[in-house]
Amino acid sequence: MKVGILTFHDGINHGAFLQAYCLQETVKMLGADVYIINYRSRFYHSQRYKQRHDFFIKSWKTYRHFSVIKVKWQNIIKNLRFKYAQQSNLNLTFFSHDISTIIEKYKFDLIILGSDEIWNFKNDSRGFDLNYFGKDLREIPTISYAPSLGQISLGDKIPNQINTYLKQLSSISVRDRNSLEILKSMALNATQVLDPTFLYDVQVINPHKIPKINKYILVYAGYISTENKQSIQDFSRRYGYKLVAASYDQNWCDYSFVDVGICEWLGLFKNASFIITNTFHGTIFSILNKKDFCVLDLRSKTNKISNLLEDLKLVDRIVYSSSEFNHKILERIDYNKVFDLIDKYKKQSLLFLETNINSI
């Protein structure tokens, strides 16, 4: 069977890459010939061009400082590393802005929509693209696996076209309870499943190349309030930890690896003493590595992270104020109970995929 996966596979983001890779490898283990559909809308490319354009037209004063130039250079290196990882590890179709040309060439027996926030139609960087809801997939059997509606809430108005195309899917699954409740309100039957990163052991990608730093707290977060930064620094000094930031520039940490690649990123999680994050996949890989962790400054990511933590009985890992930080960071997690739940949800998730693949 030839299966095509349509997802956000090309983002410069560790979680985005790993969800695509893990779903590809999981479906491959179920016996299918798998391709990542290498499609991007023209809107997405125009937005990326605008971002690059804005970067280069900023005044020279902004970039005359060495520290700023260094971070920008590291981001360029990170981009190149991601492109290499995507080309090396994802079984990509040829690229096209017209998804129909890819579908016609490969003649897929089944198409899987997801994972990631492909159904978040308020995503400014991707635009409102109905292809991720199945618009131009012709009459090929199509299912969804673990997509998310992101920050879309139950009370938001859902465009009629979305309802129309989702009703045509053979089977629907989503990765969070918020998305599940929204689909139910649209009279659509759906199943909640685990994110693909729970299904496939990425430890097999490559040996983990990491800087040799002993006893460190990993900080994987885009935004951290000034108050929380101070609490983290105070704790690290009191107990003798180094602070290591990954992917995002955190110049208040002892080390900040903006250009970290996939293998190094995995290694930093594996060897951390404690993890601080506010991202969905940062939370997942903290759990998969059985690390004590906390989630700070959720901001717009509340739905997907809090839903995950509620399902795994870990909602107490969310820290809402700096006064909670010292207490929370010293609490230990009983991962035996957590992985009992993960194993149960993993069996259900694999059954969903296997049943739908075998039914074609």
Side-chain angles (χ1 to χ4, degrees):
M1 178 180 293
K2 189 179 288 187
V3 176
I5 296 173
L6 179 59
T7 187
F8 294 160
H9 65 280
D10 63 340
I12 309 304
N13 176 280
H14 297 87
F17 170 83
L18 288 166
Q19 62 84 18
Y21 176 78
C22 288
L23 184 55
Q24 170 188 278
E25 295 303 300
T26 299
V27 176
K28 190 187 297 182
M29 286 193 306
L30 294 174
D33 186 15
V34 192
Y35 293 84
I36 302 292
I37 298 173
N38 197 5
Y39 160 80
R40 281 156 293 197
S41 68
R42 294 185 188 280
F43 174 87
Y44 171 65
H45 266 192
S46 67
Q47 289 298 100
R48 291 292 293 273
Y49 174 80
K50 182 178 182 301
Q51 289 169 3
R52 293 190 186 102
H53 179 263
D54 290 346
F55 165 76
F56 284 112
I57 66 172
K58 283 185 181 293
S59 69
W60 68 271
K61 291 181 181 179
T62 306
Y63 296 105
R64 66 182 179 176
H65 300 292
F66 174 75
S67 60
V68 179
I69 295 172
K70 178 183 176 183
V71 171
K72 295 303 177 185
W73 175 250
Q74 287 174 330
N75 275 311
I76 292 171
I77 298 299
K78 182 166 69 171
N79 271 259
L80 293 173
R81 285 182 170 175
F82 267 92
K83 292 303 177 187
Y84 177 77
Q86 290 156 7
Q87 293 294 327
S88 303
N89 295 283
L90 300 180
N91 192 21
L92 298 168
T93 66
F94 65 83
F95 169 75
S96 179
H97 290 304
D98 180 5
I99 197 169
S100 298
T101 62
I102 301 175
I103 302 302
E104 184 177 355
K105 170 73 174 177
Y106 284 85
K107 296 180 171 53
F108 296 112
D109 299 299
L110 176 71
I111 290 176
I112 300 175
L113 305 175
S115 174
D116 216 327
E117 289 190 23
I118 62 168
W119 288 354
N120 179 5
F121 54 86
K122 291 184 179 180
N123 186 331
D124 293 334
S125 65
R126 295 280 179 169
F128 182 19
D129 190 344
L130 285 169
N131 281 321
Y132 290 101
F133 297 89
K135 177 177 179 287
D136 286 335
L137 303 183
R138 301 186 180 179
E139 296 181 359
I140 301 169
T142 303
I143 67 171
S144 69
Y145 186 82
S148 174
L149 283 141
Q151 81 259 35
I152 309 301
S153 299
L154 192 57
D156 289 339
K157 180 174 174 54
I158 309 297
N160 290 331
Q161 308 102 303
I162 289 178
N163 204 329
T164 298
Y165 290 116
L166 290 185
K167 284 180 177 177
Q168 296 174 9
L169 299 185
S170 304
S171 192
I172 301 174
S173 71
V174 291
R175 76 181 185 190
D176 58 87
R177 200 176 320 111
N178 178 61
S179 299
L180 187 68
E181 293 301 320
I182 293 172
L183 293 182
K184 285 182 178 178
S185 74
M186 297 162 63
L188 292 166
N189 292 322
T191 301
Q192 187 176 340
V193 294
L194 288 175
D195 186 83
T197 50
F198 280 109
L199 305 184
Y200 183 78
D201 183 8
V202 292
Q203 313 295 343
V204 303
I205 291 181
N206 264 320
H208 297 154
K209 307 170 185 176
I210 60 167
K212 293 182 178 179
I213 304 169
N214 295 321
K215 196 180 176 185
Y216 63 89
I217 296 172
L218 177 64
V219 180
Y220 181 63
Y223 168 84
I224 293 182
S225 68
T226 301
E227 189 179 20
N228 280 329
K229 287 177 185 176
Q230 188 61 56
S231 295
I232 294 166
Q233 286 179 319
D234 290 345
F235 180 90
S236 67
R237 289 169 185 152
R238 187 181 310 123
Y239 291 98
Y241 289 98
K242 293 293 185 182
L243 291 175
V244 175
S247 193
Y248 302 96
D249 180 38
Q250 305 287 1
N251 57 19
W252 52 277
C253 291
D254 297 295
Y255 303 91
S256 188
F257 300 109
V258 175
D259 57 352
V260 64
I262 297 296
C263 298
E264 294 86 356
W265 187 87
L266 290 169
L268 286 171
F269 273 83
K270 183 177 181 181
N271 292 282
S273 300
F274 191 90
I275 297 168
I276 296 166
T277 188
N278 61 11
T279 76
F280 182 67
H281 284 102
T283 304
I284 289 178
F285 279 92
S286 299
I287 294 168
L288 288 174
N289 284 284
K290 299 183 178 180
K291 299 296 180 179
D292 294 311
F293 71 97
C294 67
V295 178
L296 300 178
D297 300 311
L298 276 176
R299 305 184 91 187
S300 64
K301 302 171 183 177
T302 304
N303 282 339
K304 56 186 180 181
I305 296 178
S306 59
N307 283 180
L308 172 67
L309 294 177
E310 286 165 10
D311 290 340
L312 297 180
K313 313 298 183 192
L314 289 171
V315 72
D316 63 327
R317 304 315 296 180
I318 301 174
V319 175
Y320 293 101
S321 68
S322 60
S323 60
E324 298 178 65
F325 179 77
N326 284 359
H327 171 66
K328 192 65 62 181
I329 201 169
L330 292 171
E331 289 182 359
R332 295 293 171 255
I333 299 172
D334 181 356
Y335 271 110
N336 290 326
K337 294 179 180 178
V338 174
F339 272 81
D340 284 344
L341 289 170
I342 291 174
D343 289 342
K344 181 181 78 170
Y345 296 143
K346 184 175 178 179
K347 287 176 183 176
Q348 295 170 354
S349 301
L350 288 170
L351 181 62
F352 174 88
L353 276 174
E354 190 172 11
T355 300
N356 280 284
I357 289 172
N358 291 339
S359 68
I360 302 303

